[in-house]
Amino acid sequence: MDLNNDAALIRKDRLRYTKNKMSANLILLAIAVNALYFVSIYSSDVGSYYYKIFIGASIVYNLVFMLTAFLSSEGVKSYKMGYSYVSIILGILQVVRIFYIPMKAWKETNPTADAEFPTVMSDGQFRYVVICLGISAVLLAAAGIVGIYKTTMLNSYQAELDKKQEGVSHE
């Protein structure tokens, strides 16, 4: 009797009856961290810099991001492989976003410049939003990787069971 083998078998079998809450919760946490990012950006009042078309596009992107991420959290919870890949892609897009609003605002001269805030986005706010986007990206990627791992494990275990069941039914 091999206890390690039994424990691994129980872990695999348990996947059939439980949800992938770890991946789903990581994605929900990524959404929450993204909310901290956009609250920081959208609450900034620096002249008219943020009152342009790109901020509207950013708001729409945030809505689409959060809806897609939530949908992915529900999908990975049910061991649907495609949603794990969507989660990873969303993580990559979070990294790409660093180079859009935060980087541009950090480099842009403040139209109402004073000695304290020479750029649209201060160094502190820039670090904060980059950290938020980075954490969100890592959480999304981790959720995708865990989802792929667990879904692959469940699918291969289910295939083993189906093969055994097929062998029993032919006898």
Side-chain angles (χ1 to χ4, degrees), residues 72 75-76 79-89 144 147-148 151:
S72 294
V76 297
Y79 298 101
K80 292 190 167 72
M81 185 71 81
Y83 290 105
S84 296
Y85 293 117
V86 169
S87 178
I88 292 171
I89 291 167
I148 290 168
T151 303

Side-chain angles (χ1 to χ4, degrees), residues 79-141:
Y79 298 101
K80 292 190 167 72
M81 185 71 81
Y83 290 105
S84 296
Y85 293 117
V86 169
S87 178
I88 292 171
I89 291 167
L90 287 174
I92 292 168
L93 290 174
Q94 289 294 79
V95 172
V96 170
R97 288 178 79 185
I98 293 170
F99 301 101
Y100 189 59
I101 290 180
M103 187 68 74
K104 288 182 178 185
W106 184 56
K107 291 181 177 181
E108 183 75 27
T109 303
N110 185 347
T112 59
D114 59 18
E116 191 177 355
F117 299 107
T119 59
V120 171
M121 185 178 289
S122 69
D123 291 344
Q125 184 185 20
F126 177 72
R127 279 191 297 276
Y128 176 76
V129 297
V130 167
I131 288 169
C132 287
L133 288 173
I135 289 171
S136 179
V138 168
L139 290 169
L140 287 162

